[in-house]
Amino acid sequence: MKYLKIKSRARAVLLLLGLLIGWMPARAQTTVIGLDSAEAQALRRHPRLRQSDEEIAEQRALKRGSFAPANPDFLWSAPTGEMWAPGVVQTLDLPNVYRRQRQVAQAGVVLAERNRDVSRATVLRDTRLAYLGLQFAEAQVRQYTYQDSLYRTLRLATERLFAAGEVTSLQRISTDAEARQATVQLQQATEDLHAAQRRLALLLSQPGTELATSTDLRRSGPELAQTGAALLGTLPAADSSALVRSPTLAAATQNVALSQSGISLVRARRTPALTLGYQNQAFENSQLKYRFQFGVSVPIWFWTYRAQLQAATARSRAATYQLQTQRLELGTQYQQALADTRKFSVSLAYYEQTGVPQSRAIISQSQRLFQAGEVSYLQLIMSLNQAFAIQNTYLTTIRDYRQALVELSYLRGE
């Protein structure tokens, strides 16, 4: 009779647990946003892109002023010693100098545009990672909410059974410890959710807005597992092929072009300049008082131009080394992201095909066996912990795999 009584109470506990499995708490009023909408808002509002637009406007304005002759000299002279007469003198560089200045200005505009591409790719990557972080935080809150509710029910049932003398003190303490740990994990997950909401809201220039994603992270798992092998088959293994569209590499390449055009400009400025003047050079009774004058400005201070050329050459070499460094760093990052993608793709396929179905089977069978009296209370808790650990690792694997994909997209300029 006592065994039947325990079995009846166990069935009541499991019935209550079954009701809690489908229960989810109501979410507060939030603004639901999709990934495409988040990306569009970030590209439209992020101050980094506005800064890039202003830098492009600055370089275009400098290009319009690339034809910049020296200011004219307005002179007053007394050619006869009896009266003062006005005059003007203008120094002009050879046309090649102004052409080189325009080329430098155009290279500066292109560099600003390439830097804007880098800013755009960075904003997209940050937005995608922030959105993924919010999805992960939401999934964790749902997972820990379910765990917390289940362990709360187990603790209440254990308290009643302990009061009736039907479970031991060890079972009561173990259940209470698991329940308290689940509550702490839920509190931590909730704080992580609030932090993820604030992070995404700041990127979208919506501080104070409580955001929510439109897609559950778990729903992307099966799709990622199916497309993972096909995606890896299309990714080039060589860095040179994978990074041809990298905005960071394009900006570094354009910086080399800008520094090389600077060398050409310094060399062009070493040529003589022309001086034109129009002054009074006659006596008061002269029929032609104002006369033109011509001259040549000779660059005799050779050390100045030599130093400028050395500086421009060093700047060009530094830009070349910077380009090589960028290639090395981006290549290393690409290989790491590619390895992470392959690694997490294999893990994701395992959890989709084996791990998650096994965790569901563990939960279902442990409840059934406990109800039949074939496993103990502690064995039930251990089985549930094992199943929940598998499901939590599954969520982490989805997040890590998608982070690797985001990094690959950023490096490839997509």
Short mmCIF file of all heavy atoms in Angstrom, two decimals, residues 325-377:
data_model
loop_
_atom_site.label_atom_id
_atom_site.label_comp_id
_atom_site.label_asym_id
_atom_site.label_seq_id
_atom_site.Cartn_x
_atom_site.Cartn_y
_atom_site.Cartn_z
N THR A 325 50.76 43.67 -44.00
CA THR A 325 50.29 43.28 -42.67
C THR A 325 48.80 42.96 -42.68
O THR A 325 48.35 41.98 -42.06
CB THR A 325 50.58 44.40 -41.67
OG1 THR A 325 51.98 44.68 -41.65
CG2 THR A 325 50.14 44.00 -40.26
N GLN A 326 48.04 43.80 -43.39
CA GLN A 326 46.60 43.55 -43.48
C GLN A 326 46.32 42.22 -44.15
O GLN A 326 45.42 41.48 -43.73
CB GLN A 326 45.93 44.68 -44.26
CG GLN A 326 45.84 46.01 -43.52
CD GLN A 326 44.79 45.97 -42.41
OE1 GLN A 326 44.09 44.99 -42.21
NE2 GLN A 326 44.67 47.06 -41.69
N ARG A 327 47.07 41.89 -45.18
CA ARG A 327 46.88 40.61 -45.85
C ARG A 327 47.16 39.44 -44.90
O ARG A 327 46.43 38.44 -44.87
CB ARG A 327 47.78 40.52 -47.08
CG ARG A 327 47.25 41.33 -48.27
CD ARG A 327 48.14 41.16 -49.47
NE ARG A 327 47.63 41.88 -50.62
CZ ARG A 327 48.36 42.43 -51.55
NH1 ARG A 327 49.68 42.36 -51.46
NH2 ARG A 327 47.81 43.04 -52.59
N LEU A 328 48.24 39.57 -44.14
CA LEU A 328 48.58 38.51 -43.19
C LEU A 328 47.49 38.36 -42.12
O LEU A 328 47.04 37.25 -41.82
CB LEU A 328 49.93 38.79 -42.54
CG LEU A 328 51.18 38.63 -43.43
CD1 LEU A 328 52.41 39.08 -42.67
CD2 LEU A 328 51.31 37.19 -43.88
N GLU A 329 47.08 39.49 -41.55
CA GLU A 329 46.08 39.43 -40.48
C GLU A 329 44.73 38.92 -41.00
O GLU A 329 44.09 38.07 -40.36
CB GLU A 329 45.91 40.82 -39.86
CG GLU A 329 47.14 41.28 -39.08
CD GLU A 329 46.95 42.66 -38.50
OE1 GLU A 329 45.91 43.31 -38.82
OE2 GLU A 329 47.81 43.10 -37.72
N LEU A 330 44.31 39.44 -42.16
CA LEU A 330 43.03 39.00 -42.71
C LEU A 330 43.09 37.53 -43.13
O LEU A 330 42.11 36.79 -42.97
CB LEU A 330 42.64 39.87 -43.91
CG LEU A 330 42.29 41.33 -43.59
CD1 LEU A 330 42.03 42.10 -44.87
CD2 LEU A 330 41.08 41.40 -42.67
N GLY A 331 44.24 37.12 -43.67
CA GLY A 331 44.39 35.71 -44.02
C GLY A 331 44.31 34.81 -42.80
O GLY A 331 43.66 33.76 -42.83
N THR A 332 44.95 35.23 -41.71
CA THR A 332 44.88 34.45 -40.47
C THR A 332 43.46 34.41 -39.93
O THR A 332 42.97 33.35 -39.50
CB THR A 332 45.83 35.06 -39.42
OG1 THR A 332 47.16 35.08 -39.93
CG2 THR A 332 45.80 34.25 -38.14
N GLN A 333 42.80 35.55 -39.95
CA GLN A 333 41.42 35.60 -39.47
C GLN A 333 40.50 34.75 -40.34
O GLN A 333 39.58 34.08 -39.84
CB GLN A 333 40.93 37.04 -39.44
CG GLN A 333 41.63 37.91 -38.42
CD GLN A 333 41.25 39.38 -38.54
OE1 GLN A 333 40.31 39.74 -39.25
NE2 GLN A 333 41.97 40.24 -37.85
N TYR A 334 40.74 34.76 -41.64
CA TYR A 334 39.90 33.95 -42.54
C TYR A 334 40.10 32.46 -42.27
O TYR A 334 39.12 31.70 -42.20
CB TYR A 334 40.23 34.28 -43.98
CG TYR A 334 39.46 33.43 -44.97
CD1 TYR A 334 38.12 33.69 -45.26
CD2 TYR A 334 40.07 32.35 -45.60
CE1 TYR A 334 37.42 32.90 -46.15
CE2 TYR A 334 39.37 31.55 -46.49
CZ TYR A 334 38.05 31.83 -46.77
OH TYR A 334 37.35 31.05 -47.65
N GLN A 335 41.34 32.04 -42.13
CA GLN A 335 41.59 30.63 -41.86
C GLN A 335 40.98 30.20 -40.52
O GLN A 335 40.44 29.10 -40.40
CB GLN A 335 43.11 30.35 -41.86
CG GLN A 335 43.77 30.51 -43.22
CD GLN A 335 43.21 29.54 -44.25
OE1 GLN A 335 42.75 28.44 -43.91
NE2 GLN A 335 43.25 29.93 -45.52
N GLN A 336 41.05 31.08 -39.52
CA GLN A 336 40.45 30.76 -38.23
C GLN A 336 38.94 30.68 -38.34
O GLN A 336 38.30 29.76 -37.80
CB GLN A 336 40.85 31.82 -37.19
CG GLN A 336 40.31 31.53 -35.78
CD GLN A 336 40.84 30.25 -35.21
OE1 GLN A 336 42.05 30.02 -35.19
NE2 GLN A 336 39.95 29.39 -34.74
N ALA A 337 38.33 31.65 -39.04
CA ALA A 337 36.88 31.62 -39.21
C ALA A 337 36.44 30.41 -40.02
O ALA A 337 35.39 29.81 -39.75
CB ALA A 337 36.41 32.92 -39.89
N LEU A 338 37.23 30.05 -41.02
CA LEU A 338 36.90 28.87 -41.83
C LEU A 338 36.99 27.60 -40.99
O LEU A 338 36.12 26.72 -41.08
CB LEU A 338 37.85 28.79 -43.02
CG LEU A 338 37.53 27.74 -44.09
CD1 LEU A 338 36.16 28.01 -44.71
CD2 LEU A 338 38.60 27.74 -45.17
N ALA A 339 38.04 27.51 -40.16
CA ALA A 339 38.17 26.34 -39.28
C ALA A 339 37.02 26.28 -38.27
O ALA A 339 36.48 25.21 -37.99
CB ALA A 339 39.52 26.38 -38.56
N ASP A 340 36.65 27.46 -37.71
CA ASP A 340 35.52 27.49 -36.77
C ASP A 340 34.22 27.07 -37.45
O ASP A 340 33.41 26.36 -36.86
CB ASP A 340 35.38 28.89 -36.18
CG ASP A 340 36.51 29.24 -35.24
OD1 ASP A 340 37.20 28.32 -34.77
OD2 ASP A 340 36.71 30.44 -34.97
N THR A 341 34.04 27.51 -38.68
CA THR A 341 32.83 27.15 -39.41
C THR A 341 32.75 25.65 -39.61
O THR A 341 31.69 25.02 -39.40
CB THR A 341 32.78 27.87 -40.76
OG1 THR A 341 32.87 29.28 -40.54
CG2 THR A 341 31.48 27.57 -41.48
N ARG A 342 33.84 25.04 -40.01
CA ARG A 342 33.85 23.59 -40.20
C ARG A 342 33.63 22.86 -38.88
O ARG A 342 32.88 21.89 -38.81
CB ARG A 342 35.18 23.16 -40.82
CG ARG A 342 35.36 23.63 -42.27
CD ARG A 342 36.77 23.39 -42.75
NE ARG A 342 36.92 23.75 -44.16
CZ ARG A 342 38.08 23.89 -44.78
NH1 ARG A 342 39.21 23.70 -44.11
NH2 ARG A 342 38.12 24.21 -46.06
N LYS A 343 34.30 23.34 -37.84
CA LYS A 343 34.19 22.67 -36.54
C LYS A 343 32.76 22.73 -36.01
O LYS A 343 32.19 21.70 -35.61
CB LYS A 343 35.15 23.33 -35.56
CG LYS A 343 35.05 22.82 -34.14
CD LYS A 343 36.05 23.52 -33.25
CE LYS A 343 35.77 25.01 -33.14
NZ LYS A 343 36.69 25.69 -32.21
N PHE A 344 32.19 23.92 -36.01
CA PHE A 344 30.84 24.06 -35.46
C PHE A 344 29.78 23.45 -36.39
O PHE A 344 28.70 23.09 -35.93
CB PHE A 344 30.53 25.53 -35.19
CG PHE A 344 31.39 26.12 -34.10
CD1 PHE A 344 32.13 27.27 -34.33
CD2 PHE A 344 31.47 25.53 -32.86
CE1 PHE A 344 32.93 27.81 -33.34
CE2 PHE A 344 32.26 26.07 -31.85
CZ PHE A 344 32.99 27.20 -32.10
N SER A 345 30.09 23.35 -37.68
CA SER A 345 29.17 22.68 -38.59
C SER A 345 29.02 21.21 -38.23
O SER A 345 27.91 20.66 -38.22
CB SER A 345 29.64 22.85 -40.04
OG SER A 345 28.80 22.14 -40.92
N VAL A 346 30.16 20.57 -37.93
CA VAL A 346 30.12 19.16 -37.52
C VAL A 346 29.37 19.01 -36.20
O VAL A 346 28.53 18.11 -36.04
CB VAL A 346 31.55 18.61 -37.40
CG1 VAL A 346 31.55 17.20 -36.82
CG2 VAL A 346 32.24 18.61 -38.76
N SER A 347 29.64 19.91 -35.24
CA SER A 347 28.96 19.84 -33.95
C SER A 347 27.45 20.07 -34.11
O SER A 347 26.64 19.38 -33.49
CB SER A 347 29.54 20.88 -32.99
OG SER A 347 30.92 20.66 -32.78
N LEU A 348 27.10 21.03 -34.95
CA LEU A 348 25.69 21.33 -35.15
C LEU A 348 24.96 20.15 -35.78
O LEU A 348 23.83 19.82 -35.39
CB LEU A 348 25.54 22.57 -36.04
CG LEU A 348 24.12 23.09 -36.25
CD1 LEU A 348 23.49 23.50 -34.93
CD2 LEU A 348 24.14 24.27 -37.21
N ALA A 349 25.60 19.51 -36.75
CA ALA A 349 24.99 18.33 -37.37
C ALA A 349 24.78 17.23 -36.34
O ALA A 349 23.76 16.53 -36.35
CB ALA A 349 25.85 17.84 -38.53
N TYR A 350 25.75 17.06 -35.43
CA TYR A 350 25.60 16.04 -34.39
C TYR A 350 24.40 16.35 -33.48
O TYR A 350 23.58 15.46 -33.20
CB TYR A 350 26.87 15.95 -33.54
CG TYR A 350 26.63 15.35 -32.19
CD1 TYR A 350 26.41 13.98 -32.04
CD2 TYR A 350 26.60 16.15 -31.04
CE1 TYR A 350 26.16 13.43 -30.78
CE2 TYR A 350 26.36 15.61 -29.80
CZ TYR A 350 26.13 14.25 -29.67
OH TYR A 350 25.87 13.71 -28.44
N TYR A 351 24.31 17.58 -33.03
CA TYR A 351 23.20 17.91 -32.12
C TYR A 351 21.85 17.82 -32.80
O TYR A 351 20.86 17.42 -32.19
CB TYR A 351 23.41 19.30 -31.53
CG TYR A 351 24.44 19.32 -30.43
CD1 TYR A 351 25.70 19.90 -30.65
CD2 TYR A 351 24.19 18.75 -29.19
CE1 TYR A 351 26.66 19.91 -29.66
CE2 TYR A 351 25.15 18.75 -28.19
CZ TYR A 351 26.38 19.33 -28.43
OH TYR A 351 27.34 19.33 -27.45
N GLU A 352 21.80 18.21 -34.08
CA GLU A 352 20.53 18.12 -34.79
C GLU A 352 20.11 16.67 -35.02
O GLU A 352 18.94 16.33 -34.87
CB GLU A 352 20.64 18.85 -36.14
CG GLU A 352 20.51 20.35 -36.03
CD GLU A 352 19.12 20.79 -35.63
OE1 GLU A 352 18.15 20.06 -35.94
OE2 GLU A 352 19.01 21.85 -35.00
N GLN A 353 21.06 15.83 -35.37
CA GLN A 353 20.74 14.45 -35.71
C GLN A 353 20.68 13.54 -34.50
O GLN A 353 19.90 12.58 -34.48
CB GLN A 353 21.77 13.92 -36.71
CG GLN A 353 21.81 14.69 -38.02
CD GLN A 353 22.98 14.28 -38.90
OE1 GLN A 353 23.69 13.33 -38.60
NE2 GLN A 353 23.19 15.01 -40.00
N THR A 354 21.52 13.81 -33.49
CA THR A 354 21.64 12.87 -32.38
C THR A 354 21.41 13.53 -31.02
O THR A 354 20.59 13.05 -30.23
CB THR A 354 23.04 12.22 -32.39
OG1 THR A 354 23.28 11.64 -33.67
CG2 THR A 354 23.16 11.15 -31.33
N GLY A 355 22.14 14.60 -30.75
CA GLY A 355 22.13 15.16 -29.41
C GLY A 355 20.77 15.62 -28.92
O GLY A 355 20.30 15.21 -27.84
N VAL A 356 20.11 16.49 -29.69
CA VAL A 356 18.82 17.02 -29.26
C VAL A 356 17.75 15.93 -29.19
O VAL A 356 17.00 15.86 -28.20
CB VAL A 356 18.38 18.17 -30.19
CG1 VAL A 356 16.97 18.64 -29.84
CG2 VAL A 356 19.36 19.33 -30.07
N PRO A 357 17.62 15.04 -30.19
CA PRO A 357 16.65 13.93 -30.03
C PRO A 357 16.94 13.07 -28.81
O PRO A 357 16.01 12.63 -28.12
CB PRO A 357 16.82 13.14 -31.33
CG PRO A 357 17.30 14.14 -32.32
CD PRO A 357 18.20 15.05 -31.55
N GLN A 358 18.21 12.84 -28.51
CA GLN A 358 18.55 12.06 -27.32
C GLN A 358 18.14 12.79 -26.04
O GLN A 358 17.65 12.17 -25.09
CB GLN A 358 20.04 11.74 -27.30
CG GLN A 358 20.46 10.66 -28.25
CD GLN A 358 21.94 10.34 -28.16
OE1 GLN A 358 22.73 11.14 -27.63
NE2 GLN A 358 22.34 9.19 -28.70
N SER A 359 18.34 14.11 -26.00
CA SER A 359 17.96 14.86 -24.80
C SER A 359 16.46 14.79 -24.57
O SER A 359 16.00 14.66 -23.42
CB SER A 359 18.41 16.31 -24.93
OG SER A 359 17.67 16.99 -25.93
N ARG A 360 15.69 14.87 -25.64
CA ARG A 360 14.23 14.75 -25.50
C ARG A 360 13.84 13.36 -25.04
O ARG A 360 12.93 13.19 -24.21
CB ARG A 360 13.57 15.09 -26.83
CG ARG A 360 13.74 16.54 -27.26
CD ARG A 360 13.31 16.75 -28.69
NE ARG A 360 13.51 18.14 -29.12
CZ ARG A 360 13.47 18.53 -30.39
NH1 ARG A 360 13.25 17.65 -31.37
NH2 ARG A 360 13.66 19.81 -30.68
N ALA A 361 14.54 12.37 -25.58
CA ALA A 361 14.25 10.99 -25.15
C ALA A 361 14.62 10.78 -23.69
O ALA A 361 13.92 10.07 -22.95
CB ALA A 361 15.00 10.01 -26.04
N ILE A 362 15.73 11.39 -23.26
CA ILE A 362 16.14 11.26 -21.85
C ILE A 362 15.08 11.85 -20.93
O ILE A 362 14.71 11.25 -19.91
CB ILE A 362 17.50 11.95 -21.63
CG1 ILE A 362 18.61 11.14 -22.31
CG2 ILE A 362 17.80 12.09 -20.14
CD1 ILE A 362 19.96 11.83 -22.29
N ILE A 363 14.56 13.02 -21.27
CA ILE A 363 13.54 13.66 -20.43
C ILE A 363 12.28 12.80 -20.40
O ILE A 363 11.70 12.55 -19.33
CB ILE A 363 13.22 15.06 -20.96
CG1 ILE A 363 14.43 15.98 -20.80
CG2 ILE A 363 12.02 15.65 -20.23
CD1 ILE A 363 14.25 17.35 -21.39
N SER A 364 11.86 12.34 -21.56
CA SER A 364 10.63 11.54 -21.62
C SER A 364 10.78 10.21 -20.90
O SER A 364 9.93 9.83 -20.08
CB SER A 364 10.26 11.30 -23.09
OG SER A 364 9.15 10.44 -23.20
N GLN A 365 11.88 9.49 -21.15
CA GLN A 365 12.04 8.16 -20.55
C GLN A 365 12.33 8.24 -19.06
O GLN A 365 11.88 7.38 -18.30
CB GLN A 365 13.16 7.41 -21.27
CG GLN A 365 12.84 7.06 -22.70
CD GLN A 365 13.93 6.26 -23.37
OE1 GLN A 365 14.75 5.63 -22.70
NE2 GLN A 365 13.95 6.27 -24.70
N SER A 366 13.08 9.25 -18.63
CA SER A 366 13.34 9.37 -17.19
C SER A 366 12.06 9.63 -16.43
O SER A 366 11.85 9.09 -15.33
CB SER A 366 14.36 10.49 -16.94
OG SER A 366 13.83 11.74 -17.36
N GLN A 367 11.17 10.42 -16.99
CA GLN A 367 9.87 10.65 -16.35
C GLN A 367 9.04 9.37 -16.31
O GLN A 367 8.41 9.05 -15.31
CB GLN A 367 9.12 11.75 -17.07
CG GLN A 367 9.73 13.13 -16.93
CD GLN A 367 8.97 14.20 -17.69
OE1 GLN A 367 8.03 13.89 -18.42
NE2 GLN A 367 9.38 15.43 -17.53
N ARG A 368 9.07 8.63 -17.45
CA ARG A 368 8.28 7.41 -17.51
C ARG A 368 8.82 6.36 -16.53
O ARG A 368 8.03 5.71 -15.80
CB ARG A 368 8.30 6.85 -18.92
CG ARG A 368 7.52 5.56 -19.10
CD ARG A 368 7.51 5.13 -20.54
NE ARG A 368 8.86 4.98 -21.07
CZ ARG A 368 9.61 3.89 -20.88
NH1 ARG A 368 9.16 2.88 -20.16
NH2 ARG A 368 10.83 3.83 -21.40
N LEU A 369 10.13 6.20 -16.48
CA LEU A 369 10.72 5.22 -15.57
C LEU A 369 10.53 5.62 -14.12
O LEU A 369 10.32 4.75 -13.24
CB LEU A 369 12.21 5.05 -15.88
CG LEU A 369 12.53 4.41 -17.24
CD1 LEU A 369 14.04 4.40 -17.49
CD2 LEU A 369 11.97 2.99 -17.32
N PHE A 370 10.61 6.92 -13.83
CA PHE A 370 10.38 7.36 -12.46
C PHE A 370 8.93 7.11 -12.06
O PHE A 370 8.65 6.71 -10.92
CB PHE A 370 10.71 8.84 -12.32
CG PHE A 370 10.38 9.40 -10.98
CD1 PHE A 370 11.15 9.09 -9.86
CD2 PHE A 370 9.27 10.24 -10.81
CE1 PHE A 370 10.84 9.62 -8.61
CE2 PHE A 370 8.96 10.76 -9.56
CZ PHE A 370 9.74 10.45 -8.47
N GLN A 371 8.03 7.35 -12.99
CA GLN A 371 6.62 7.10 -12.72
C GLN A 371 6.37 5.61 -12.44
O GLN A 371 5.54 5.26 -11.61
CB GLN A 371 5.76 7.55 -13.90
CG GLN A 371 4.27 7.38 -13.70
CD GLN A 371 3.48 7.87 -14.89
OE1 GLN A 371 4.06 8.27 -15.89
NE2 GLN A 371 2.17 7.84 -14.77
N ALA A 372 7.14 4.76 -13.15
CA ALA A 372 6.97 3.32 -12.95
C ALA A 372 7.74 2.82 -11.74
O ALA A 372 7.67 1.63 -11.41
CB ALA A 372 7.44 2.59 -14.20
N GLY A 373 8.48 3.71 -11.10
CA GLY A 373 9.23 3.32 -9.91
C GLY A 373 10.52 2.60 -10.21
O GLY A 373 11.09 1.97 -9.32
N GLU A 374 11.04 2.70 -11.45
CA GLU A 374 12.23 1.97 -11.82
C GLU A 374 13.51 2.79 -11.63
O GLU A 374 14.61 2.24 -11.72
CB GLU A 374 12.13 1.52 -13.28
CG GLU A 374 10.96 0.57 -13.53
CD GLU A 374 10.89 0.12 -14.97
OE1 GLU A 374 11.88 0.37 -15.70
OE2 GLU A 374 9.87 -0.47 -15.37
N VAL A 375 13.38 4.11 -11.46
CA VAL A 375 14.54 4.95 -11.16
C VAL A 375 14.23 5.78 -9.92
O VAL A 375 13.05 6.05 -9.61
CB VAL A 375 14.91 5.88 -12.34
CG1 VAL A 375 15.30 5.05 -13.56
CG2 VAL A 375 13.77 6.81 -12.67
N SER A 376 15.27 6.18 -9.25
CA SER A 376 15.09 6.95 -8.03
C SER A 376 14.93 8.44 -8.35
O SER A 376 15.07 8.88 -9.49
CB SER A 376 16.30 6.75 -7.11
OG SER A 376 17.46 7.28 -7.71
N TYR A 377 14.66 9.19 -7.30
CA TYR A 377 14.51 10.64 -7.44
C TYR A 377 15.81 11.27 -7.90
O TYR A 377 15.83 12.15 -8.77
CB TYR A 377 14.07 11.20 -6.09
CG TYR A 377 13.06 12.32 -6.19
CD1 TYR A 377 11.73 12.05 -6.43
CD2 TYR A 377 13.46 13.64 -6.08
CE1 TYR A 377 10.80 13.06 -6.53
CE2 TYR A 377 12.54 14.66 -6.18
CZ TYR A 377 11.21 14.38 -6.39
OH TYR A 377 10.30 15.38 -6.51
#
